[in-house]
Amino acid sequence: IYKPIAIGHPFIAVANAGYYRDLHNLGFETFGHVIDESFDSIEDNQIRLNRIAQIVEDLSCNDLASFLKECYNRCKYNQQHLAQARDQEVSTFPKRLSEFLSQHE
C-alpha cells in the first residue's frame, strides 16, 4: 500500500477485513468521503472482494478526474505522513534493534 501512498495516488486496497481500520490507526486517511468503505468490515472474503469489485466498476463508469480531484488533499496528507513515519523509523530503528538484540542474546 505504501507505493501508491508514496507517489500520491488514491487507492482501494483488496485486503483482509479491518485493513482500513488499521491504516486509520497508523494515521493514514482513506477515501470514505468519495467511496463506500463499509467493505472493510465484511468478514467473508468473497463477499468483500465482490463489493470492492463493484466499487471499482462504479468508479470506472464515473468521472475519474473528479474522483482524483476529490482525493487530492488526502493523497498529499498520506504522502507527507508516510515521509514523516519513514524518517521517524529511520531515526529510531538502530536503537530499537540494539535493544532487541541485547534482550535476545
Side-chain angles (χ1 to χ4, degrees), residues 2-10 68 71-72 75-76 78-79:
Y2 296 122
K3 194 172 191 177
I5 290 174
I7 59 177
H9 282 197
L68 292 173
C71 295
Y72 179 81
C75 289
K76 287 299 168 194
N78 285 336
Q79 197 174 37

Side-chain angles (χ1 to χ4, degrees), residues 11-64:
F11 57 85
I12 297 176
V14 178
N16 57 311
Y19 189 78
Y20 278 58
R21 177 200 62 226
D22 295 342
L23 283 174
H24 295 158
N25 289 341
L26 291 171
F28 293 99
E29 296 180 354
T30 56
F31 309 98
H33 66 295
V34 291
I35 64 169
D36 176 11
E37 294 180 347
S38 63
F39 61 83
D40 190 53
S41 63
I42 299 173
E43 292 293 332
D44 183 281
N45 292 332
Q46 190 60 53
I47 295 171
R48 187 174 56 261
L49 180 60
N50 291 342
R51 181 65 191 122
I52 292 168
Q54 184 62 54
I55 290 168
V56 171
E57 185 177 336
D58 291 347
L59 280 173
S60 68
C61 294
N62 291 315
D63 182 9
L64 290 178

Side-chain angles (χ1 to χ4, degrees), residues 2 5 26-28 77-93 96:
Y2 296 122
I5 290 174
L26 291 171
F28 293 99
Y77 166 82
N78 285 336
Q79 197 174 37
Q80 292 169 351
H81 183 68
L82 179 62
Q84 290 170 345
R86 180 198 61 225
D87 292 345
Q88 181 179 357
E89 186 67 24
V90 166
S91 69
T92 62
F93 181 76
R96 290 186 302 117

